[in-house]
């Protein structure tokens, strides 16, 4: 087994007695105080996440825009400086390489943030696709630590130690400035369904910022949050996870990401396949499920209707916010009808669930 | 911390023996490693369980864990309270968080289980 990678905050996690796990080759905190407790902290107060394992890729050059337009499914041409775009990135067959964020630094310079477990694969894919463009693609993942401060009180806390006027950073926008005297990039983004910020900083200052934010957020009840609660938070807000809702065998149209697929763009990788899929009918659809019978649907459990397999669970869990057992499932489109009842096969036993709106949680 | 009057298994479950009635549960170490328990699946009263075989599951937010019977016999009582409040397994594994009571066919399977002292040694070794 290869050695697990560690973020610059590893010692902080040890000190906080976090439970550590292998996440995509990274030794990461899965929980500190407990998943449910941490989940509620983010929904009601504020939580701080170490997401330094995320990948950062720099795209720079005369044809940067043309390259990105070909590379990803969303339309980068309307993106302006200081704003961010979410997009799937597809294979020619329409399957998903990854989902990512594009930060526009300037008309010829972009900063791409990709999933940790995919960053090497994504970088290789991007370099390959970049050959026909006048553009440089550089993997900067080692040069950044990333902290996510999420929750309704995130802005109040962060504003105390930054010279950026956070109220002026809109959702999916970013700015460069200082946090606790350290140069950072701050974006109003996140993966929890709450308001909040993601802070990109040089690894050498990561511990300073981590400690400082936890310290100044103490009056608000800030807590460090592990990957366990990160997953339940994102799942309730229907934010897809690569490896669950997204993957090389799943198209963004099936995953409910159609609004991020601009089929009217002249060309992009996967366009033909996705166009065909759209014209001929999208075979599967991602639906929300609520358990009727006793049990928790877990990812990859089969879904059946009248004894026939119709799909599978992509994510499933107890929902701390709803206090219910819920799931997301990818099923045959013709059977994706609200209120319809189907069976989740839990260790060979059929347990009933019904189809419900998949956006389980939306902040008020 | 682990009560001295119980027997312990390598799967981090305990058995409390009272005559031929054996109460099953999971240890403090088990609940600690699982994290917040959110679901418990137990057999019905009157069902039979087999020593060394799974008789149900305990699920935390992230993990599903089989629970293994320490003796064979008939289920005479099920703790329905933990089915409604699975967090009792976290807050009181040796008390209110018990799982089922079994009328044992015979108690010899318990001989291979550990005492509290042996279990603590086992836990210390497992850490390494």
């Amino acid at each position: 087994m290869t050695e697990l990678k560690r973020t610059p905050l590893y010692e902080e996690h040890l000190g906080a007695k976090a439970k550590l796990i292998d996440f995509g080759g990274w030794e990461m905190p899965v929980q500190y105080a407990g998943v449910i407790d941490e989940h509620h902290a983010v929904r009601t107060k504020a939580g701080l996440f170490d997401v330094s394992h995320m990948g950062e890729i720099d795209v720079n050059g005369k044809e940067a825009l043309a390259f990105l337009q070909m590379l990803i499914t969303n339309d980068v041409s309307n993106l302006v400086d200081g704003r961010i775009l979410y997009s799937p990135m597809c294979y020619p067959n329409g399957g998903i390489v990854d989902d990512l964020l594009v930060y526009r630094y300037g008309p010829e310079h972009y900063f791409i943030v990709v999933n940790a477990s995919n960053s090497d694969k994504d970088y290789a894919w991007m370099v390959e696709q970049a050959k026909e463009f006048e553009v440089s693609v550089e993997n900067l993942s080692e040069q950044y630590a990333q902290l996510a401060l999420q929750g309704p009180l995130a802005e109040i806390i962060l504003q105390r130690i930054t010279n950026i006027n956070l109220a002026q950073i809109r959702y999916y926008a970013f700015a460069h400035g200082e946090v606790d005297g350290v140069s950072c990039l701050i974006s109003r983004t996140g993966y929890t369904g709450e308001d909040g910020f993601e802070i990109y900083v040089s690894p050498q200052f990561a511990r300073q910022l981590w400690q400082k934010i936890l310290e100044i957020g103490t009056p608000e009840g800030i807590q460090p949050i592990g990957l366990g609660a990160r997953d339940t938070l994102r799942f309730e807000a229907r934010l897809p996870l690569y490896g669950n809702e997204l993957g090389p065998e799943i198209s963004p149209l099936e995953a409910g990401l159609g609004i991020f697929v601009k089929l009217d763009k002249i060309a992009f990788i996967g366009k033909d396949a996705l166009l065909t899929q759209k014209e001929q009918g999208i075979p599967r659809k991602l639906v929300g499920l609520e358990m009727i019978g006793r049990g928790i649907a877990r990812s990859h459990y089969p879904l059946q209707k009248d004894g026939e397999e119709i799909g599978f669970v992509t994510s499933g869990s107890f929902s701390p916010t709803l206090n219910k057992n819920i799931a997301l499932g990818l099923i045959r489109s013709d059977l994706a009808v609200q209120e319809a009842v189907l069976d989740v096969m839990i260790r060979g036993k059929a347990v009933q669930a019904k189809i419900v709106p998949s956006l389980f949680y939306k902040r008020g | 911390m682990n009560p001295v009057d119980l027997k312990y298994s390598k799967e981090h479950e305990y058995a409390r023996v009272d005559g031929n009635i054996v109460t099953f549960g999971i240890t403090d170490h088990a609940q600690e490693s699982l994290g917040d328990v959110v679901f418990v699946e137990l057999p019905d009263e009157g069902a039979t369980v087999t020593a060394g075989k799974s008789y149900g599951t305990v699920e935390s937010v992230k993990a599903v864990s089989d629970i293994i019977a320490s003796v064979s016999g008939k289920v005479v009582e099920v703790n329905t309270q933990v089915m409604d409040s699975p967090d009792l397994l976290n807050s009181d594994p040796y008390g209110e968080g018990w799982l089922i009571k079994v009328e044992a066919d015979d108690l010899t399977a318990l001989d291979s289980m550990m005492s509290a002292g042996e279990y603590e040694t086992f836990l210390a070794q497992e850490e390494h």
Side-chain angles (χ1 to χ4, degrees), chain A residues 147-295:
Chain A
L147 278 60
L149 175 59
Q150 301 280 301
L153 305 180
E155 183 177 329
I156 295 170
I157 294 169
L158 190 59
Q159 192 61 73
R160 289 184 194 135
I161 49 165
T162 180
N163 61 351
I164 299 171
N165 182 357
L166 295 175
Q168 291 192 344
I169 303 186
R170 292 152 68 189
Y171 189 51
Y172 269 63
F174 69 94
H176 288 277
E178 286 185 0
V179 178
D180 195 29
V182 175
S183 170
C184 295
L185 185 164
I186 297 181
S187 62
R188 195 169 210 129
T189 47
Y191 195 49
T192 59
E194 295 302 329
D195 186 23
F197 300 90
E198 292 179 307
I199 305 163
Y200 300 83
V201 63
S202 167
Q204 60 180 313
F205 299 114
R207 291 186 73 176
Q208 175 192 332
L209 287 197
W210 178 265
Q211 290 168 0
K212 186 72 180 180
I213 294 169
L214 287 177
E215 181 195 316
I216 58 145
T218 304
E220 279 77 21
I222 194 173
Q223 286 180 226
I225 313 294
L227 294 180
R230 184 168 165 85
D231 192 44
T232 52
L233 288 159
R234 70 91 199 161
F235 161 64
E236 285 182 347
R238 199 190 48 199
L239 296 165
L241 173 63
Y242 187 89
N244 290 42
E245 285 72 38
L246 312 178
E249 310 298 330
I250 302 172
S251 89
L253 302 179
E254 293 178 310
L257 301 179
I259 60 162
F260 306 109
V261 178
K262 305 298 185 196
L263 290 167
D264 52 355
K265 271 204 304 185
I266 293 168
F268 62 88
I269 299 168
K271 180 180 173 180
D272 292 347
L274 294 171
L275 203 55
T276 304
Q277 198 173 73
K278 180 142 194 193
E279 284 165 2
Q280 295 182 349
I282 300 162
R284 299 175 297 181
K285 195 177 171 202
L286 194 70
V287 294
L289 297 170
E290 186 179 314
M291 298 306 297
I292 299 171
R294 292 191 79 251

Side-chain angles (χ1 to χ4, degrees), chain A residues 42 64 69 79 146 161 164 203 225 264 271 312 315 341:
Chain A
V42 175
Q69 287 291 70
L79 191 64
Q146 190 189 340
I161 49 165
I164 299 171
I225 313 294
D264 52 355
K271 180 180 173 180
F312 63 95
S315 295
V341 175

Side-chain angles (χ1 to χ4, degrees), chain A residues 70-210:
Chain A
M70 180 59 76
L71 185 74
I72 66 177
T73 63
N74 207 342
D75 187 357
V76 192
S77 67
N78 296 323
L79 191 64
V80 298
D81 291 358
R83 299 303 297 264
I84 303 160
L85 185 80
Y86 170 82
S87 181
M89 172 165 75
C90 285
Y91 292 108
N93 70 2
I96 301 168
V97 183
D98 202 0
D99 63 338
L100 46 79
L101 293 178
V102 179
Y103 291 60
R104 183 169 136 151
Y105 283 164
E108 297 180 358
H109 194 189
Y110 298 84
F111 180 71
I112 316 285
V113 181
V114 301
N115 284 303
S117 49
N118 287 339
S119 65
D120 291 342
K121 175 191 80 176
D122 290 352
Y123 175 64
W125 175 256
M126 289 170 69
V127 166
E128 183 65 30
Q129 308 311 317
K131 281 180 180 165
E132 289 163 30
F133 295 90
E134 205 173 310
V135 67
S136 83
V137 177
E138 200 181 347
N139 191 345
L140 301 184
S141 301
E142 306 268 304
Q143 296 177 27
Y144 288 95
Q146 190 189 340
L147 278 60
L149 175 59
Q150 301 280 301
L153 305 180
E155 183 177 329
I156 295 170
I157 294 169
L158 190 59
Q159 192 61 73
R160 289 184 194 135
I161 49 165
T162 180
N163 61 351
I164 299 171
N165 182 357
L166 295 175
Q168 291 192 344
I169 303 186
R170 292 152 68 189
Y171 189 51
Y172 269 63
F174 69 94
H176 288 277
E178 286 185 0
V179 178
D180 195 29
V182 175
S183 170
C184 295
L185 185 164
I186 297 181
S187 62
R188 195 169 210 129
T189 47
Y191 195 49
T192 59
E194 295 302 329
D195 186 23
F197 300 90
E198 292 179 307
I199 305 163
Y200 300 83
V201 63
S202 167
Q204 60 180 313
F205 299 114
R207 291 186 73 176
Q208 175 192 332
L209 287 197
W210 178 265

Side-chain angles (χ1 to χ4, degrees), chain A residues 315-328:
Chain A
S315 295
S317 172
F318 169 74
S319 158
T321 306
L322 304 179
N323 198 24
K324 284 177 184 169
N325 294 328
I326 55 171
L328 291 169

Side-chain angles (χ1 to χ4, degrees), chain A residues 40-55:
Chain A
H40 290 311
V42 175
R43 286 273 180 262
T44 59
K45 297 176 278 186
L48 187 63
F49 304 71
D50 175 13
V51 283
S52 301
H53 57 318
M54 299 292 282

Side-chain angles (χ1 to χ4, degrees), chain A residues 19 30-31 33-37 227-229 231-232 294-296 298 301 316-318 320 325 346-347 349, chain B residues 31-42 57-66 82-84 86:
Chain A
K19 203 174 286 176
V30 65
Q31 67 166 63
V35 175
I36 295 176
D37 191 54
L227 294 180
D231 192 44
T232 52
R294 292 191 79 251
I296 300 178
R298 303 280 182 179
Y301 284 4
S317 172
F318 169 74
N325 294 328
I346 302 182
R347 291 174 291 279
K349 202 173 104 186
Chain B
Q31 70 80 16
E32 180 71 38
S33 3
L34 273 167
D36 298 325
V37 177
V38 294
F39 184 77
V40 181
E41 178 82 47
L42 297 174
T57 53
V58 170
E59 303 193 26
S60 65
V61 180
K62 301 275 6 138
V64 182
S65 184
D66 275 315
V82 297
M83 295 170 81
D84 296 331

